[in-house]
Amino acid sequence: RHDISIPDYEYVLSHAPNSYTEYATMRLAAFSYKQKDYLSAVKYYSELEKVTADPARKAESQLALMRSYYQLKDYANTILYSEIVLKDLSIKDELKAEAHLVAGISYLQNGDYANANTHLKKTIALVKNKMWAEARYNVALILYMQEEHKKCEKEIFDYVKVKPNYDYWLAKAYILLGDNYLALGDPAQAKATLKSIIDNYKAEDDIVTTAQEKYDKIIEQENMQNNRRMLEDSLKITPGINEDEMNKVLNENEHDNK
């Protein structure tokens, strides 16, 4: 039924302004968002934000714009509209937490770790649901990105101790822990952590594939290092080869194995 009405609403808008402009814009905006056509949703909700005199409808448009820009990975406009949403002091904690979460992740994507951390911690303080779990993961990710590897490890352990009932974000945290172990120079712990995810995670999403790729990469690196050591030991006992020639052979071997 909605599909049949779409051309009619578009026809109304093509003859705007008229008494049906706002209603038609609202229907097209809602339909576009439901269809995950976020570019069209931005177009229509932006128009609705301009034409409506209804405060509730304007607030609904601004919330939808925040969500649409976030889905489009337009982080500057996500931040802009999260700030607008948060100015409404009447919104419930759930929406406040969402606005802080998307703002935090947007700041993180833009490399602004200080503002990202501030917003993510506000989400953590407001709710104890899936958004809380995602925010906790991203706080640990910030520490990893800042090369604060011991603090990152502690943050993940503190998160795991809570036994969160959100398997996806818990598994993401363990994968991050594996990366963190590698950064700390402990590939054995990294492999063990990733293997536990590969063996025990049951959901059908990107987690096992990601863990397996990282595990395989560690094995590949270890094999290359072992091959280099064996070749180096062999070259050392080869008569008549000097250090420059040995390094040349080792580098050529590494290049061939990439």
Side-chain angles (χ1 to χ4, degrees):
R1 181 174 299 183
H2 289 301
D3 287 327
I4 295 171
S5 301
I6 294 304
D8 296 331
Y9 295 134
E10 289 173 340
Y11 177 81
V12 169
L13 286 189
S14 71
H15 291 78
N18 56 62
S19 56
Y20 297 103
T21 297
E22 183 172 336
Y23 180 76
T25 306
M26 181 181 67
R27 293 301 296 269
L28 285 167
F31 175 79
S32 299
Y33 188 86
K34 187 176 181 181
Q35 296 297 309
K36 299 184 179 181
D37 180 359
Y38 297 113
L39 279 173
S40 295
V42 163
K43 172 185 172 183
Y44 292 123
Y45 275 119
S46 295
E47 186 61 29
L48 183 60
E49 183 188 22
K50 292 174 189 172
V51 300
T52 188
D54 182 343
R57 196 166 286 172
K58 185 180 286 288
E60 179 186 336
S61 301
Q62 291 163 343
L63 177 62
L65 283 165
M66 179 190 79
R67 289 169 171 167
S68 297
Y69 279 125
Y70 183 66
Q71 291 297 329
L72 291 168
K73 296 182 170 54
D74 183 339
Y75 297 120
N77 276 312
T78 300
I79 292 166
L80 173 64
Y81 274 93
S82 69
E83 290 171 351
I84 292 170
V85 168
L86 288 166
K87 283 179 183 176
D88 183 353
L89 300 180
S90 69
I91 63 171
K92 294 181 179 179
D93 284 351
E94 189 92 1
L95 285 181
K96 287 180 188 175
E98 181 186 353
H100 282 301
L101 178 63
V102 298
I105 293 172
S106 296
Y107 277 119
L108 172 56
Q109 291 295 327
N110 287 343
D112 185 342
Y113 298 143
N115 274 315
N117 208 42
T118 297
H119 282 281
L120 292 168
K121 287 184 174 177
K122 286 181 179 178
T123 296
I124 291 165
L126 284 164
V127 291
K128 287 292 183 286
N129 56 18
K130 190 182 289 187
M131 289 188 288
W132 170 88
E134 186 175 356
R136 286 293 302 259
Y137 165 79
N138 279 286
V139 166
L141 179 60
I142 289 170
L143 292 170
Y144 175 81
M145 299 292 287
Q146 292 176 319
E147 299 184 358
E148 296 278 4
H149 297 301
K150 284 295 184 182
K151 289 181 181 179
C152 176
E153 183 180 37
K154 183 180 183 303
E155 181 66 32
I156 294 171
F157 285 160
D158 289 346
Y159 171 51
V160 171
K161 281 179 190 174
V162 181
K163 297 181 179 177
N165 191 28
Y166 304 101
D167 289 349
Y168 181 81
W169 291 108
L170 182 59
K172 289 271 285 186
Y174 274 117
I175 290 173
L176 178 60
L177 183 60
D179 290 339
N180 201 63
Y181 279 134
L182 270 185
L184 288 168
D186 193 345
Q189 280 281 24
K191 283 192 296 182
T193 303
L194 293 168
K195 194 72 167 65
S196 70
I197 295 295
I198 295 164
D199 291 344
N200 298 305
Y201 189 80
K202 303 303 181 189
E204 294 183 3
D205 49 39
D206 63 331
I207 290 293
V208 171
T209 301
T210 301
Q212 187 69 60
E213 287 173 353
K214 288 178 179 289
Y215 182 87
D216 291 345
K217 189 172 181 180
I218 296 171
I219 297 295
E220 182 184 345
Q221 291 280 359
E222 288 181 335
N223 288 338
M224 286 177 63
Q225 288 168 3
N226 289 335
N227 289 339
R228 181 183 175 91
R229 275 195 293 268
M230 286 189 294
L231 180 58
E232 190 171 353
D233 290 342
S234 174
L235 290 170
K236 282 178 181 177
I237 61 173
T238 301
I241 188 168
N242 61 40
E243 187 175 344
D244 288 340
E245 289 171 331
M246 184 171 72
N247 286 331
K248 182 180 178 182
V249 172
L250 290 170
N251 291 333
E252 286 174 352
N253 183 67
E254 277 190 8
H255 182 268
D256 290 341
N257 288 325
K258 284 183 180 178

